[in-house]
């Protein structure tokens, strides 16, 4: 059975060939002066105060699979399991007291009243306990097969300080050490290349010798301290997909276009898959495939990832996988009776597919943990009704983010996180991510592009939205990084405070610690900190200069549309999208492809 036409792919326009010059000195003056404070929002309960919870919403034949294994991607009825129903408290109140507003059994009688008997006190205590349970809500967890349970809205967990592992035995073992001097300087800057239209330049990596960044029809390796090009890899077209995963010998996977973009559309299909050696700047191999929704044409991909010795690419035409060493196909897109195709994959320690199935007007999403060598499903979980796309936050442990019923409402692409047993496909717990409270983000149509969220120590770490700081003045916004236990869904008692006028953004795990960026106020430089994954104690690793020119350059990068890397006393921040300069732009307004800071 042939598949219905896929949704129209994103077709970002792009530029003709071009490049950019050598690193330049910081510009005089600069831009990015503080903007007027936003209008005071209407009065509302303090940040984190419990609010009324809404009612529940309310491979493919290459190579051939062994006969005893299910065919790659074939939808199966996930096993069912009993519904869970552990009660729990209201969500934590960040920065505010969390004492439950319920009468206590030990409250003395009013003046002049009779003293309660011991038996009556026991009765009152029992009643209060029932009130606490009923008032706190019910913890949700269900199997992958139950539609009714899947559609239920999960609770955010217990009152702060009542759940999780308490931080004992967690954290530490990080590779990043505190430099002798944490004060950094701007070591180099890469000017933004001129392009005729919007151009994707996502993709950056660090090796022992180079900072590697996607350019225009190229990838360039720069000396870590000087910023001079160490090597340049010219490509026939623009890079259109990258992965953060890198092998031990510094190889990574990319997608690129077969030819250069030309006007007036500045668009070419993203069809070529390749592996780049980040040490030498050589393209190890490149290839393309046909099949799936593309028929006899080249399959178009929107994402690529890496797991072990397998490179996997997905998109609306279907998914394919290749041998890391030589590019030989491990599976290719293939039409099937269930109208299924792999939208994309999560890589790293495992390989997990986000698979869309069914007729165009009634599609559903399946999460499949795959054997990276064959593509055979190890387990699978069917996402709840109302999920159009899903993002893989982590493959081991398996954590998925989705916007169920498009209820997030803030463009984050996340209403809930799903902690799934990768071996059985059973749902451990669903964690509601209130869009008004938490600031993690996933691109709604892409599978492995989540930011501001990391997984480690059996926990999900994510930042809260910015809220008023301790002084209550304009421009005094701050936030925290909090965590949830992936086995129980309960919030842990520990949290990391950014401090007044700073906001914390988790970047990656470092052993049991979290490497985070502290976005600064307008008159300070940013910081890189290491947070103990158990206690959430913060240690400064790097602090950027606070002089006006440098801080304006750092502030020109948007937190939601930039890549921030840190390793061994060096921080790099770079653009993921560039565009043609506006006619009204001042020549003094310098824009950068990347900035480098170092403590060396």
């Amino acid at each position: 059975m042939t598949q219905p036409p896929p949704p129209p792919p994103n077709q970002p326009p792009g530029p003709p060939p071009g490049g950019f010059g050598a690193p330049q000195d910081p510009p005089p003056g600069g831009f990015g002066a503080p903007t007027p404070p936003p209008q005071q929002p209407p009065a509302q309960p303090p940040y984190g105060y419990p609010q009324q919870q809404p009612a529940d919403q309310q491979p493919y034949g290459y190579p051939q699979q062994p006969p005893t294994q299910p065919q790659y991607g074939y939808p199966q009825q996930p096993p069912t399991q009993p519904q869970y129903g552990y009660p729990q408290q209201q969500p934590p109140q960040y920065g505010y007291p969390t004492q439950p507003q319920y009468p206590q059994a030990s409250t003395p009688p009013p003046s002049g009243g009779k003293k309660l008997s011991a038996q009556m006190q026991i009765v009152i205590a029992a009643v209060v306990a029932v009130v606490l349970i009923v008032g706190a809500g019910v913890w949700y967890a269900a199997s992958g097969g139950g539609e009714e349970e899947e559609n239920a809205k999960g609770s955010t967990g217990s009152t702060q300080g009542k759940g999780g592992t308490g931080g004992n035995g967690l954290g530490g073992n990080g590779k990043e050490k505190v430099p002798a001097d944490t004060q950094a300087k701007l070591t180099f800057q890469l000017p933004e290349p001129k392009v005729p239209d919007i151009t994707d330049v996502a993709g950056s990596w660090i090796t022992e010798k180079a900072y590697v960044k996607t350019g225009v029809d190229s990838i360039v390796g720069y000396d870590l301290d000087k910023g001079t090009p160490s090597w340049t890899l010219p490509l026939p077209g623009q890079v259109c997909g990258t992965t953060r995963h890198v092998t031990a010998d510094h190889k990574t996977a990319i997608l690129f276009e077969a030819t250069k973009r030309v006007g007036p559309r500045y668009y070419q299909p993203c069809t070529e898959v390749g592996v780049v050696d980040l040490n030498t700047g050589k393209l190890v191999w490149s290839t393309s495939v046909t099949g799936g929704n593309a028929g006899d044409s080249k399959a178009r991909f929107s994402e690529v990832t890496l797991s072990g010795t397998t490179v996997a690419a997905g998109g609306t035409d279907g998914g394919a996988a290749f041998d890391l060493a030589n590019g030989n196909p491990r599976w290719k897109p293939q039409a099937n009776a269930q109208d299924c195709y792999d939208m994309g994959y999560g890589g790293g320690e495992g390989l997990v597919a986000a698979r869309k199935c069914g007729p165009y007007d009634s599609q559903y999403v399946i999460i499949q943990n795959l054997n990276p060598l064959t593509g055979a499903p190890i387990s699978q979980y069917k996402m709840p009704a109302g999920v159009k796309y899903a993002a893989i936050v982590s493959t081991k442990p398996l954590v998925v983010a989705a916007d169920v019923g498009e209820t997030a409402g803030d463009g984050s692409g996340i209403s809930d996180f799903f902690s799934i047993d990768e071996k059985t496909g059973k749902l451990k717990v669903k964690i509601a991510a209130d869009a008004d409270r938490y600031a993690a983000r996933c691109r709604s149509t892409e599978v492995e592009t989540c930011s501001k969220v990391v997984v480690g120590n059996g926990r999900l770490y994510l930042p809260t939205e910015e809220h008023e700081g301790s002084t209550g003045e304009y421009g005094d916004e701050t936030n925290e990084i909090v965590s949830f236990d992936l086995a129980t869904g309960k919030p842990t008692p520990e949290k990391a405070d950014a401090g007044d006028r700073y906001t914390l953004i988790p970047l990656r795990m470092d052993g049991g610690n979290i490497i985070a960026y502290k976005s600064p106020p307008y008159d300070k430089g940013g910081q890189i900190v290491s947070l103990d994954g158990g206690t959430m104690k913060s240690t400064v690793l790097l602090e950027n200069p606070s002089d006006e020119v440098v801080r304006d350059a750092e502030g020109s990068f948007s937190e939601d549309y930039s890549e921030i890397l840190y390793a061994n006393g060096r921080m790099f921040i770079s653009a993921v999208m560039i565009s043609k300069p506006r006619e009204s732009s001042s020549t003094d307004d310098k824009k950068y492809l990347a900035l480098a800071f170092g403590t060396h």
Side-chain angles (χ1 to χ4, degrees):
M1 179 178 178
T2 59
Q3 300 183 36
N10 294 330
Q11 299 186 0
F20 52 87
Q24 302 175 356
D25 293 331
F31 60 94
T35 56
Q39 183 177 355
Q40 180 69 18
Q44 59 181 355
Y47 178 80
Y49 191 87
Q51 301 181 12
Q52 183 67 31
Q53 293 291 333
D56 286 357
Q57 300 193 359
Q58 38 243 183
Y60 299 137
Y62 192 112
Q64 294 294 325
Q65 305 292 335
T68 57
Q69 287 185 305
Q71 181 180 354
Y72 171 75
Y74 192 87
Q76 304 171 32
Q77 182 63 27
T80 59
Q81 64 179 12
Q83 180 178 354
Y84 293 83
Y86 292 97
Q88 62 182 23
Q89 306 290 337
Q90 289 290 338
Q93 306 171 11
Y94 302 115
Y96 291 89
T98 58
Q99 183 68 24
Q101 301 299 310
Y102 296 109
Q104 302 300 309
S106 59
T107 303
S111 177
K114 295 181 180 180
K115 184 176 182 180
L116 297 175
S117 66
Q119 182 177 3
M120 183 58 68
Q121 292 184 33
I122 294 173
V123 171
I124 292 176
V127 171
V128 171
V130 171
V131 172
L132 286 170
I133 292 173
V134 173
V138 178
W139 172 61
Y140 167 86
S143 68
E147 288 292 332
E148 182 177 352
E149 292 89 351
E150 286 170 342
N151 291 329
K153 190 73 173 179
S155 169
T156 55
S158 66
T159 299
Q160 189 176 5
K162 295 294 184 180
T165 60
N168 294 330
L170 301 180
N173 300 319
K175 295 181 180 179
E176 301 294 350
K177 306 304 179 185
V178 180
D181 184 0
T182 59
Q183 293 296 317
K185 63 180 180 180
L186 179 65
T187 54
F188 66 85
Q189 55 183 307
L190 304 177
E192 183 178 279
K194 294 182 179 180
V195 293
D197 212 328
I198 297 174
T199 303
D200 187 352
V201 289
S204 55
W205 306 267
I206 304 176
T207 70
E208 282 83 358
K209 295 183 178 180
Y211 168 67
V212 184
K213 177 62 185 170
T214 296
V216 177
D217 299 327
S218 66
I219 297 177
V220 183
Y222 300 91
D223 181 272
L224 285 173
D225 297 315
K226 300 177 182 178
T228 52
S230 301
W231 53 259
T232 298
L233 171 62
L235 294 167
Q238 186 62 28
V239 174
C240 48
T242 61
T243 177
R244 67 179 182 274
H245 301 297
V246 178
T247 64
D249 59 349
H250 298 123
K251 292 183 176 65
T252 192
I254 63 169
L255 300 175
F256 60 95
E257 296 162 4
T259 57
K260 290 179 172 59
R261 299 174 180 179
V262 294
R265 294 183 65 208
Y266 296 105
Y267 166 78
Q268 293 293 340
C270 188
T271 57
E272 311 304 302
V273 184
V275 165
V276 177
D277 187 328
L278 299 176
N279 288 327
T280 64
K282 303 298 183 183
L283 186 65
V284 180
W285 56 260
S286 64
T287 189
S288 60
V289 295
T290 60
N293 292 331
D296 294 333
S297 301
K298 286 184 177 181
R300 295 163 297 175
F301 300 112
S302 57
E303 290 187 79
V304 67
T305 194
L306 178 64
S307 178
T309 61
T310 297
V311 173
T316 54
D317 285 343
F322 310 86
D323 188 305
L324 173 68
N326 51 35
N328 290 337
R330 289 189 165 159
W331 63 83
K332 298 192 293 183
Q334 180 174 314
N336 57 81
Q338 293 74 36
D339 293 335
C340 294
Y341 66 92
D342 290 351
M343 297 183 290
Y345 302 90
E349 292 189 47
L351 184 64
V352 176
R355 191 165 174 79
K356 184 169 284 192
C357 295
Y360 184 72
D361 58 350
S362 58
Q363 292 177 319
Y364 56 94
V365 175
I366 295 175
I367 302 300
Q368 290 185 327
N369 184 27
L370 305 178
N371 179 325
L373 298 179
T374 67
I378 298 170
S379 66
Q380 69 177 24
Y381 170 75
K382 185 178 180 182
M383 296 295 288
V387 172
K388 295 182 178 180
Y389 299 94
I392 310 300
V393 180
S394 168
T395 56
K396 285 187 179 181
L398 178 51
V399 179
V400 178
D403 186 359
V404 182
E406 298 181 333
T407 56
D410 65 342
S412 67
I414 308 170
S415 68
D416 301 270
F417 291 97
F418 297 76
S419 176
I420 302 169
D421 188 317
E422 63 266 20
K423 295 180 181 179
T424 65
K426 293 182 179 180
L427 181 67
K428 295 178 181 178
V429 68
K430 185 174 78 168
I431 302 170
D434 185 347
D436 293 331
R437 178 172 299 186
Y438 304 112
R441 301 182 67 85
C442 297
R443 295 185 185 180
S444 59
T445 60
E446 298 184 14
V447 173
E448 200 183 39
T449 56
C450 294
S451 61
K452 299 184 177 182
V453 55
V454 295
V455 171
N457 301 318
R459 293 180 174 186
L460 174 76
Y461 297 94
L462 66 162
T464 65
E465 293 283 5
E466 294 182 24
H467 58 87
E468 189 177 85
S470 62
T471 66
E473 298 177 354
Y474 286 121
D476 188 30
E477 287 77 14
T478 186
N479 80 330
E480 299 81 32
I481 290 180
V482 298
S483 65
F484 293 85
D485 189 304
L486 290 173
T488 66
K490 296 180 180 180
T492 64
E494 302 84 9
K495 62 184 175 70
D497 293 298
D500 288 344
R501 303 199 303 148
Y502 286 87
T503 54
L504 274 168
I505 301 170
L507 302 178
R508 63 175 174 87
M509 295 300 298
D510 175 33
N513 299 332
I514 305 114
I515 300 299
Y517 174 64
K518 285 184 67 172
S519 179
Y522 73 91
D523 57 347
K524 300 287 185 181
Q527 297 178 2
I528 295 292
V529 297
S530 176
L531 305 175
D532 185 284
T535 66
M536 301 297 275
K537 178 182 177 182
S538 176
T539 301
V540 175
L541 299 177
L542 173 147
E543 184 168 8
N544 290 333
S546 59
D547 61 277
E548 183 178 2
V549 173
V550 178
R551 72 174 187 248
D552 285 352
E554 181 180 4
S556 69
F557 288 89
S558 165
E559 298 172 4
D560 291 327
Y561 300 97
S562 61
E563 293 174 337
I564 302 174
L565 302 180
Y566 176 84
N568 191 29
R570 297 181 178 91
M571 171 191 155
F572 302 88
I573 183 169
S574 64
V576 297
M577 194 77 69
I578 57 177
S579 59
K580 180 180 179 180
R582 293 174 299 185
E583 294 182 1
S584 59
S585 297
S586 168
T587 55
D588 293 333
D589 289 348
K590 298 286 291 185
K591 288 191 174 182
Y592 305 94
L593 179 67
L595 298 176
F597 299 89
T599 60
H600 297 266

